[in-house]
Amino acid sequence: MTSRESSSAPGSASSAAEFAPETVVVDAGRPERVPGASVNPPVELSSTFIGTGGLHDAPYAYGRFGTPAWVPFEEALAGLEHAALPGLVFGSGLAAIAATLSPVPRGGTLIMPRHSYQGSLESAAEIAERAGFDLVSVDIAETDSVITALDAVADAGAASAMLWIESPTNPMMEVADLPALITAAKKRGVLTAIDNTFATPLLQTPLDLGADIVVHSVTKYLAGHSDVVLGAVVTNDEDLHQRLHSERALRGAIAGPFEVWLALRGLRTLSVRMDRAQSNAARIAERLAAHPDVVETRFPGLPDDPGHARAAAQMNGFGAVVVFCVDSAQKATAIAEAVRLWTPATSLGGVESLIERRRRHASEPESVPEGLLRLSVGIEHIDDLWTDLDAAIRSTETL
Ligand SMILES: *Cc1c(COP(=O)(O)O)cnc(C)c1O
């Protein structure tokens, strides 16, 4: 739509090709290196841009179509996800997800993991109803049953179908066989869209496996400080890029300049944040798995976790979300109320550790256990985190 490519920040594209991801997060999206120039991009606050010709004659015309405020972050994200086209930032993760579902036509089918992020499930159900496509729910860790669902779509000759993948899933931590599912979907002409929020591009890059679209809730690890709500999409397909771009421009789910600036600022430390958060998460998961009051712990880094072998084969790390179950909703709620360092709140991916009983949300699927607590492990000292969590768990022993 707008010729954003012509305004590329010099160095970004080459940054991704040349450097490791740990360097790309720091280097990508910097202003041009001329004497006296800023090291960081500015917060670009203009809603309109000078021009007398057609709307698309100049690089920018109006802030809903495109603004230099988005470009550095979009280029950095594209570099990290190995996309040849710039990313597309949206006003929230769910806005990005709604746009991503737009290619599924009336009469088509969306195959979706039953334990996708609850907001994605709600949004997809509502969009499916309004747009008139079928929603098929699958256990994404059961590769054979997902392939059966893909076969059914191919056999039915559906106009078009999309396989939605979340891996690891929120909040059940199931790990999908990404290479197998993406290949199987491709063979049957089914689009694949992957919510890469939990893994981040540091741990997996699904476009490399042939996925069509990768979606992020930038709110979480990419921005990383629980101070913005933001989403993004990346794709290597020109037609899909055009489609997503016009969904954003015409429906207007755009990101604010300051939020995008904060997201890029947060992205600079993604790699060091993930290192610390993952190592904390691994230790917390081990200790929870050995805890007498814990019924079950799910973390793909645990050697006996059902997702471990797959995660070890396809990811560069196991992430920093850990879930565990105690034997009642009452106990789980009491634990979330008893912690003093952990913050009882929804969301994840920030520097501070969060704890939440997921079934407190009425819309969370009933197959998520009542006593399940989701931990977003942050970057505090491991001993402080464990002491606080362990004390909170033990305080509920008499309940
Ligand atoms: C939070 C989340 C979303 C939704 O993103 P928002 O930024 O809250 O709109 C989507 N997918 C996953 C996996 C999430 O954790």
Side-chain angles (χ1 to χ4, degrees):
M1 208 151 187
T2 49
S3 49
R4 301 170 58 266
E5 291 72 15
S6 65
S7 63
S8 307
S12 307
S14 63
S15 165
E18 247 180 274
F19 297 129
E22 293 81 353
T23 307
V24 175
V25 295
V26 176
D27 179 64
R30 299 278 181 189
E32 195 177 354
R33 292 182 175 214
V34 293
S38 300
V39 167
N40 291 305
V43 185
E44 287 272 357
L45 289 173
S46 201
S47 63
T48 190
F49 302 88
I50 294 165
T52 54
L55 264 188
H56 309 306
D57 291 351
Y60 302 104
Y62 182 61
R64 181 159 37 76
F65 304 140
T67 150
W70 298 337
V71 172
F73 179 81
E74 291 183 333
E75 291 190 341
L77 183 61
L80 289 170
E81 289 286 5
H82 302 161
L85 301 170
L88 292 156
V89 69
F90 282 77
S92 68
L94 268 192
I97 287 166
T100 301
L101 296 181
S102 71
V104 187
R106 181 168 299 279
T109 305
L110 175 67
I111 302 171
M112 203 167 189
R114 68 186 172 128
H115 291 134
S116 309
Y117 168 66
Q118 151 270 332
S120 307
L121 291 174
E122 268 189 279
S123 180
E126 194 271 337
I127 293 171
E129 169 121 19
R130 195 153 37 91
F133 60 75
D134 290 333
L135 200 54
V136 173
S137 178
V138 291
D139 181 341
I140 204 70
E142 295 293 330
T143 305
D144 290 346
S145 67
V146 181
I147 289 177
T148 304
L150 287 168
D151 280 337
V153 168
D155 292 348
S160 181
M162 178 181 282
L163 172 63
W164 191 266
I165 301 178
E166 222 185 84
S167 183
T169 59
N170 183 357
M172 296 295 278
M173 301 306 291
E174 296 136 333
V175 179
D177 187 336
L178 291 185
L181 293 183
I182 293 168
T183 305
K186 249 191 154 43
K187 245 169 130 174
R188 292 160 180 81
V190 174
L191 289 174
T192 46
I194 302 193
D195 185 332
N196 208 22
T197 300
F198 270 35
T200 83
L202 297 183
L203 307 191
Q204 66 192 14
T205 47
L207 294 183
D208 291 337
L209 301 170
D212 295 293
I213 302 175
V214 170
V215 189
H216 282 281
S217 171
V218 176
T219 313
K220 313 295 170 50
Y221 289 103
L222 299 184
H225 295 74
S226 306
D227 53 8
V228 289
V229 174
L230 216 56
V233 177
V234 287
T235 179
N236 270 324
D237 182 293
E238 298 270 0
D239 292 341
L240 284 173
H241 195 272
Q242 183 65 34
R243 168 95 202 210
L244 292 162
H245 190 284
S246 68
E247 280 289 315
R248 180 175 68 178
L250 298 177
R251 295 186 190 270
I254 61 165
F258 189 53
E259 283 73 12
V260 182
W261 189 92
L262 279 173
L264 183 67
R265 153 95 172 227
L267 188 72
R268 298 296 185 212
T269 55
L270 176 66
S271 163
V272 287
R273 286 188 283 108
M274 281 307 277
D275 280 354
R276 170 69 78 85
Q278 289 194 96
S279 102
N280 281 349
R283 291 195 212 173
I284 292 213
E286 274 166 26
R287 292 174 196 185
L288 285 171
H291 201 291
D293 301 332
V294 171
V295 178
E296 195 187 354
T297 305
R298 285 298 305 264
F299 177 68
L302 290 171
D304 59 352
D305 189 271
H308 178 71
R310 245 178 223 167
Q314 72 191 18
M315 297 171 76
N316 296 321
F318 301 109
V321 177
V322 176
V323 307
F324 71 101
C325 297
V326 289
D327 56 22
S328 71
Q330 187 201 7
K331 268 193 189 175
T333 302
I335 292 167
E337 284 169 353
V339 285
R340 293 173 55 232
L341 173 61
W342 293 75
T343 304
T346 196
S347 197
L348 56 108
V351 290
E352 71 293 329
S353 293
L354 303 181
I355 182 168
E356 182 184 34
R357 186 176 83 86
R358 285 302 291 176
R359 285 293 297 282
R360 77 191 176 105
H361 303 288
S363 52
E364 191 74 3
E366 284 181 15
S367 48
V368 173
E370 285 279 4
L372 179 145
L373 285 155
R374 186 184 70 193
L375 303 178
S376 169
V377 183
I379 66 170
E380 304 91 334
H381 196 287
I382 180 65
D383 295 344
D384 294 330
L385 288 175
W386 179 250
T387 303
D388 187 48
L389 184 61
D390 181 47
I393 296 171
R394 289 186 192 280
S395 76
T396 66
E397 274 174 1
T398 51
L399 290 183

